[in-house]
Amino acid sequence: MAAPNCGYDYESGCKSEMTANTPRDFAQEDLAPIRESVRALCADFPGEYWRRLDRERAYPEEFVTALTKAGFLAALIPEEYGGSGLTMTAAAAIMEEIQASGCNGAACHAQMYTMGTLLRHGSAEQKKRYLPAIARGELRLQAFGVTEPTSGTDTLSLRTTAMRDGDHYIVNGQKIWTSRAEHSDLMLLLARTTPREQTTSRTAGLTVFLVDMRAARGNGLTIRPIRTMMNHATTEVFFENLRVPADGVIGREGEGFRYILSGMNAERILIAAECIGDAKWFIEKATAYAGERVVFGRPIGQNQGIQFPIARAYIGMRAAELMVREAAALYEAGRDCGAEANMAKHLAAEASWAAADMCVQTHGGFGFAEEFDIERKFRETRLYTVAPISTNLVLSYIAEHVLGLPRSY
Ligand SMILES: Cc1cc2nc3c(=O)[nH]c(=O)nc-3n(C[C@H](O)[C@H](O)[C@H](O)COP(=O)(O)OP(=O)(O)OC[C@H]3O[C@@H](n4cnc5c(N)ncnc54)[C@H](O)[C@@H]3O)c2cc1C
């Protein structure tokens, strides 16, 4: 498909004449080979592949295996543990290209960032045991068990408990929306180890465990898939007297909330990058169609009523992209990027959703036809204003932590 005539080169990545002279774009230019490799891999997984899986609500096993073998999912694992040791900017470029190619990185994106909790807070022995195997693709750490049905966004109210019993903990409770649990060997689990009323601070008493799901399934761990509006392999997970070895505790008992929070900036940045990729896919589709589709004797794209929404979506995407790059640059410089990671996720999720809506409108009736892939991507990108953090909670974060307004909850 021809690149849209808007100074934007979709084939070579996210470079534009308008910004090519800024220092940060030189860093982006170095990523061109990675972007091209991701695109080449994704070309083997065209729309028909995703449509079939979507109909069957099946997991993209071949796609995830290909990404793993190519080393892309180990982008953030340091070289000493067998990973690629790439920067956050490079990891974001990988996720963006997956989405911009029409694929769905949600099938495996957690593999990239959940390991960060293990890397930063795990013991030397845990890192040695798990990280090389994850990097080689022998172990999948894709399940992240935080959200519960009753507590929702209020993580500190979660009810799953883990009680010490000799050299084990006994876990009881339930998680919901634990995505990819059926396709993961390991789960990062947040559970309460000290009753709330016995803790010294609001955030204490929660502990992170690395649970070996292979041993646990059928022995106190039950996984039930949840069908959703898109193909997302999400589940609810039940713990009934599940015995987890004490050496599965990551970091110190009772400090798990802090460890989970420390991984959230990476999660937000990578998912924001996915949204940028989605937005690019929708804008490219809409631009091409607007140029080709002739109604009333002229291309629909000649009408400003069609042009302007596409241009507006493009502007929104570009603005969000800048914030994603800012957040990634701060992250890799080791600086605090909480505000930027949240703002990037917010802007990018809004941009991808606006682009999705615009793309359907531009295509008229064909926007609803399965074979155009637009309705599928429309459903897939809708998630990101809700998860992994919903819009209101991002706004709340900015209001409180950036603007200094009183905490509202
Ligand atoms: C497909 C999918 C996959 C997911 N994958 C995972 C996963 O792998 N692991 C995991 O742990 N979780 C996962 N989640 C959970 C996700 O992070 C939560 O759904 C999300 O954080 C919102 O929480 P909730 O659904 O409990 O909504 P609730 O907390 O019940 O909130 C409902 C609505 O009320 C708003 N709201 C709540 N409190 C306030 C307030 N104080 N001020 C203003 N507005 C408020 C929220 O913004 C939201 O719009 C997934 C969710 C989905 C749908």
Side-chain angles (χ1 to χ4, degrees), residues 71-113:
F72 290 128
L73 298 184
L76 293 174
I77 298 181
E79 283 173 302
E80 62 174 305
Y81 296 110
S84 323
L86 294 176
T87 59
M88 178 56 74
T89 299
I94 293 169
M95 296 319 297
E96 181 197 309
E97 289 299 333
I98 290 173
Q99 301 302 115
S101 305
C103 299
N104 189 3
C108 49
H109 54 198
Q111 178 91 354
M112 259 199 196
Y113 53 73

Side-chain angles (χ1 to χ4, degrees), residues 148 159-163 170-174 191 239-242:
E148 297 190 0
R159 294 183 183 176
T160 296
T161 55
M163 293 317 200
I170 312 290
V171 181
N172 280 289
Q174 185 195 343
F239 306 94
E240 201 180 343
N241 295 322
L242 172 69

Side-chain angles (χ1 to χ4, degrees), residues 4-23:
N5 184 21
C6 55
Y8 191 87
D9 183 353
Y10 279 84
E11 292 306 313
S12 64
C14 53
K15 285 178 278 177
S16 129
E17 286 165 13
M18 285 178 285
T19 56
N21 292 327
T22 62

Side-chain angles (χ1 to χ4, degrees), residues 358-373:
M358 170 282 291
C359 194
V360 170
Q361 200 68 20
T362 303
H363 280 76
F366 290 109
F368 296 82
E370 196 185 48
E371 67 170 290
F372 278 68
D373 293 312

